[in-house]
Amino acid sequence: MENFSNTGKRVVFFQKQLEKAMPAVRQQIKVYESHVKSGSTNKSPKVAPQFNNA
């Protein structure tokens, strides 16, 4: 990560980073919204494997 002493440059840097990330975030939101509509947001919990050390 870059080291900025100027706040304005820091803000511009982070805005560019967010612009790069937003398409993926928007896609994830669409997927989540479609799951909410279909009622399939609850995942069954993963169960840890049980080992018998007897």
Side-chain angles (χ1 to χ4, degrees):
M1 187 165 116
E2 305 217 9
N3 186 10
F4 297 110
S5 59
N6 184 332
T7 303
K9 288 182 181 179
R10 189 175 324 136
V11 169
V12 169
F13 173 78
F14 286 118
Q15 282 179 330
K16 288 180 182 178
Q17 295 297 319
L18 284 172
E19 288 173 7
K20 290 178 186 177
M22 283 311 293
V25 171
R26 286 190 185 105
Q27 178 60 33
Q28 291 172 358
I29 291 170
K30 285 180 185 178
V31 169
Y32 176 76
E33 288 175 342
S34 70
H35 287 198
V36 168
K37 286 180 184 177
S38 70
S40 63
T41 57
N42 293 335
K43 293 183 179 178
S44 58
K46 293 184 179 179
V47 179
Q50 302 295 315
F51 298 104
N52 189 357
N53 292 332

